[in-house]
Amino acid sequence: MAPTGTSTEDSTWTGRPDLSDIPNFWTAPIAERAAAFAALREREPVPFYEEPESGFTRGPGFWALTRLDDLTEASRTPSVFTSGKGATNVADMPPEFLEFYGSMINMDDPRHARLRRIVSRGFTPKRLAGLTEEVQRTARTIVDDVIDAGGCDAVTAISARLPLKIVCDMMGVPASRYEFVFDRSNIILGASDPEYVPDADNIVAALLQAGHELAELMRDLGRHRIENPTDDVTSALVNAEVDGERLTPDELASFFILLVVAGNETTRNAISWGLHLLTEHPEQRAVWLADLDGVTPTAVEEIVRWASPVIYMRRTLATDAVLGGQQMREGDKVALYYWAANRDPAHFRDPDAFDVRRSPNPHVGFGGAGPHFCLGAHLARREMTVMFRELLTRVPDIAATAPPRRLQSMFINGVKSLPVTFTPGGSR
Ligand code: HEM
């Protein structure tokens, strides 16, 4: 059966959607979600919502930005739309979370700029070029491992493996700990899904435990690299001192948690959605296969736009402001819905269509332009490019046999599993 859910044609949605209804709104078919946001953008582009039940103290609610122009303006005005108050999720983080989750994504300048300057050393063009071979080797091994079986769960056997290995390798985490890191990152980004945290009353405890365990792993590694430096990023971050700056062990630990979460789940979901989209749109697969070199760059951007693996990031108002015609007050929470902005018809022709040659494609899947723009965007593009080239060259008929099993989350557009088949041994 062909998966469904990438067009809005069959949607019957008419009412005001409840963006805080995680078990219903965020698990509804993608077409319904798209139609709901289309209606909001049209009728009420900056709606206000009560906060969902999340295991954290419930706050006063949040505004939702659904238009690309409003989202871009908020991203570009970090002195008003701040990241350092409360959290970048809708719920404020309790103080005990800061040790593990208080990384630069939850900071404003000058603290943000200082940390970003230091960790950017791990993402220089030279370092990325050095990783290219490893990305290629890993993608090849991943396909080698499944090619004779003729089928697998694409999420665990394909999409998750590449970013996990690359992030762990960058930081010097040994292969024996990959599964440990994978399980903790599932808890951190999948906490609202009963499959990962079955007891909703335990969400806070589960997040603290996962953060604590990842931080321990990184502190141990950091200590070790101070004595025994290698050429990994951890060694660079704990040893190199540029302009008198280096990371403290706690900063290293929370940066690692940010990387694990930001670098793994996002890229994994983008690849999984890409495989689903190729299945649903054989004509787009044909276009891509006909010109792999020419089409891959635009196809990768289109997958990120269409999937929008990060659904939103929150900001908090430092002063009263008006945006999209809506008066907001100091202290108000504002969620920047990348997923919705990436379907704004004012900027994307036929926004629900999947078009591997879409150009221009001014998507905000990696964030709107601003100080928090995704640090790993180049790496993510490289990983996706290499993985899809490997798949489309060696198993070009790879196709999903069922719809994606989706994560229950208002934050991450996640795929938990996606069964795929292909001609065993490859067809060319
Ligand atoms: C398709 C894959 C990815 C997507 C869709 C994605 C998306 C995003 C988004 C939406 C933001 C927030 C931007 C903002 O608030 O303005 C972000 C930030 C970030 N991303 Fe990514 N990301 C991806 C891959 C990666 C990778 C591979 C890494 C690193 C290994 C990474 C590291 C980060 C970091 C460190 C930040 C915080 C930057 C800051 O606060 O200054 N991301 N990403």
Side-chain angles (χ1 to χ4, degrees):
M1 189 188 77
T4 56
T6 55
S7 89
T8 52
E9 280 164 20
D10 55 350
S11 172
T12 53
W13 190 89
T14 49
R16 186 184 196 262
D18 181 357
L19 303 191
S20 284
D21 184 349
I22 301 175
N24 292 305
F25 180 74
W26 291 104
T27 57
I30 293 292
E32 280 184 31
R33 188 197 286 178
F37 273 117
L40 276 180
R41 234 184 273 110
E42 190 76 7
R43 299 178 205 152
E44 195 190 354
V46 190
F48 186 82
Y49 286 97
E50 299 296 321
E51 295 184 25
E53 208 54 77
S54 66
F56 294 90
T57 308
R58 225 162 160 191
F62 64 98
W63 300 101
L65 303 185
T66 61
R67 290 182 174 168
L68 188 90
D69 289 339
D70 295 341
L71 188 149
T72 306
E73 191 178 332
S75 298
R76 284 187 178 148
T77 325
S79 56
V80 177
F81 293 85
T82 64
S83 300
K85 292 186 177 62
T88 42
N89 279 118
V90 160
D92 281 352
M93 275 191 296
E96 65 268 31
F97 269 56
L98 290 176
E99 180 181 353
F100 312 126
Y101 300 108
S103 56
M104 68 179 180
I105 201 162
N106 293 306
M107 288 178 192
D108 298 310
D109 289 350
R111 286 183 74 210
H112 170 262
R114 172 187 163 267
L115 277 177
R116 181 135 178 160
R117 211 162 39 235
I118 302 177
V119 300
S120 293
R121 287 176 215 150
F123 292 84
T124 57
K126 190 166 160 241
R127 227 175 239 287
L128 284 188
L131 275 177
T132 301
E133 220 171 277
E134 187 53 34
V135 173
Q136 181 59 61
R137 208 172 17 242
T138 307
R140 173 153 285 276
T141 307
I142 288 170
V143 176
D144 284 347
D145 289 350
V146 296
I147 199 163
D148 290 332
C152 61
D153 169 32
V155 174
T156 46
I158 298 174
S159 325
R161 283 185 63 192
L162 180 62
L164 181 67
K165 166 128 176 59
I166 297 305
V167 167
C168 286
D169 261 16
M170 273 178 80
M171 299 302 283
V173 174
S176 59
R177 308 309 299 276
Y178 288 178
E179 209 174 311
F180 172 89
V181 171
F182 180 73
D183 290 345
R184 270 71 194 165
S185 72
N186 275 340
I187 292 174
I188 294 172
L189 279 188
S192 59
D193 189 315
E195 185 168 326
Y196 296 117
V197 183
D199 180 357
D201 293 339
N202 272 342
I203 287 180
V204 170
L207 287 170
L208 278 175
Q209 176 74 13
H212 172 73
E213 289 174 346
L214 286 174
E216 273 306 290
L217 171 71
M218 207 56 214
R219 286 198 196 99
D220 284 350
L221 194 63
R223 274 193 290 271
H224 191 255
R225 290 295 192 269
I226 289 175
E227 304 298 325
N228 309 285
T230 66
D231 61 356
D232 62 22
V233 173
T234 302
S235 302
L237 296 180
V238 293
N239 293 306
E241 191 166 320
V242 176
D243 300 333
E245 292 177 324
R246 72 168 88 181
L247 290 188
T248 65
D250 278 356
E251 286 172 338
L252 178 71
S254 55
F255 175 61
F256 174 62
I257 293 172
L258 172 63
L259 271 198
V260 162
V261 171
N264 271 325
E265 307 282 331
T266 50
T267 316
R268 171 224 292 203
N269 290 317
I271 296 171
S272 301
W273 279 116
L275 287 170
H276 163 74
L277 287 163
L278 279 176
T279 307
E280 280 237 298
H281 301 279
E283 78 295 349
Q284 294 298 313
R285 180 197 301 262
V287 169
W288 196 347
L289 280 173
D291 181 11
L292 263 186
D293 287 341
V295 173
T296 299
T298 47
V300 162
E301 297 305 318
E302 178 67 345
I303 291 170
V304 175
R305 179 193 77 87
W306 196 95
S308 297
V310 178
I311 294 172
Y312 78 91
M313 284 279 173
R314 170 192 142 194
R315 302 291 192 261
T316 309
L317 280 184
T319 58
D320 292 358
V322 177
L323 186 58
Q326 180 62 54
Q327 173 72 58
M328 303 177 212
R329 301 286 171 207
E330 178 184 347
D332 283 359
K333 302 178 180 185
V334 185
L336 283 58
Y337 276 92
Y338 305 120
W339 199 95
N342 278 338
R343 285 168 169 73
D344 186 340
H347 291 273
F348 302 98
R349 196 174 33 84
D350 198 2
D352 294 312
F354 173 61
D355 174 1
V356 290
R357 284 183 299 197
R358 186 182 289 277
S359 178
N361 186 352
H363 73 81
V364 287
F366 292 114
H372 293 279
F373 184 81
C374 178
L375 181 64
H378 290 307
L379 177 58
R381 290 181 172 118
R382 169 100 342 246
E383 289 179 22
M384 290 174 67
T385 298
V386 169
M387 195 71 243
F388 278 106
R389 284 188 63 100
E390 192 70 20
L391 290 167
L392 290 175
T393 309
R394 298 179 66 199
V395 284
D397 60 350
I398 185 169
T401 55
R405 206 160 61 80
R406 286 162 45 203
L407 182 71
Q408 180 174 307
S409 169
M410 69 187 282
F411 183 57
I412 291 293
N413 196 29
V415 177
K416 293 195 287 194
S417 63
L418 182 73
V420 291
T421 55
F422 41 84
T423 306
S427 57
R428 68 174 189 181

